[in-house]
Amino acid sequence: MRVVLDTSVLVAAWRSRNGASFALLQELRLGSFEIAVSVPLVLEYEDVLLRFLPPGLSVSDVGYFVDYLCQVAVRQSIFFLWRPFLRDPKDDMVVEVAVAARCTGIVTHNIRDFQRIESLGLRLFTPGEFLMSIGERS
């Protein structure tokens, strides 16, 4: 199964080792599913993670983490834009990657921001729901 991770999931995992967001990244490391990224999305990941830099972590740590995500992700070029689709252009960027990479859906904490994606054939998951869908959490 292939999905796009919204930045809200990465921030939650970055800030705490407890919870579904961190568990999701552990499952990614084990190869339980795939993620897709684009260059603009990776730049957004980096920007947001740097804004939420927890004590004890450095700018270099953000770089290593983003590099890891790029290493394990399916890198998707975007050849079309249908903005605006959602209210936030940064959310549109997530949807564009999901459609172009033929993802199953998007994993986010911000469910309300992505309500219209079902019309594009994409599913919407919270981190906990996605973990259950891949059978790693009951």
Side-chain angles (χ1 to χ4, degrees):
M1 187 179 301
R2 182 181 301 159
V3 295
V4 176
L5 300 178
D6 183 35
T7 54
S8 65
V9 175
L10 297 181
V11 169
W14 190 240
R15 296 176 86 179
S16 173
R17 291 179 173 253
N18 299 320
S21 295
F22 188 81
L24 192 73
L25 292 180
Q26 297 302 309
E27 290 303 319
L28 176 63
R29 196 183 79 202
L30 296 173
S32 300
F33 65 97
E34 293 181 319
I35 62 169
V37 298
S38 66
V39 171
L41 184 58
V42 167
L43 294 173
E44 175 70 5
Y45 285 169
E46 185 174 52
D47 177 57
V48 171
L49 290 171
L50 286 170
R51 282 189 266 144
F52 290 97
L53 195 61
L57 294 178
S58 69
V59 172
S60 296
D61 293 323
V62 172
Y64 294 134
F65 180 55
V66 172
D67 286 350
Y68 165 75
L69 293 173
C70 291
Q71 189 176 51
V72 300
V74 172
R75 291 169 296 282
Q76 181 63 50
S77 297
I78 305 297
F79 296 106
F80 55 90
L81 300 172
W82 4 299
R83 298 178 190 201
F85 183 71
L86 302 172
R87 283 183 282 164
D88 184 345
K90 292 183 180 183
D91 292 338
D92 279 339
M93 173 176 41
V94 174
V95 173
E96 289 166 354
V97 175
V99 170
R102 296 190 168 110
C103 291
T104 302
I106 295 171
V107 183
T108 184
H109 286 286
N110 303 322
I111 297 295
R112 289 189 337 197
D113 294 345
F114 291 93
Q115 285 300 311
R116 294 183 56 208
I117 69 166
E118 286 86 10
S119 68
L120 299 172
L122 296 169
R123 290 184 57 195
L124 193 56
F125 301 94
T126 65
E129 290 167 345
F130 186 69
L131 284 170
M132 285 190 279
S133 78
I134 60 173
E136 301 303 328
R137 184 175 170 155
S138 56

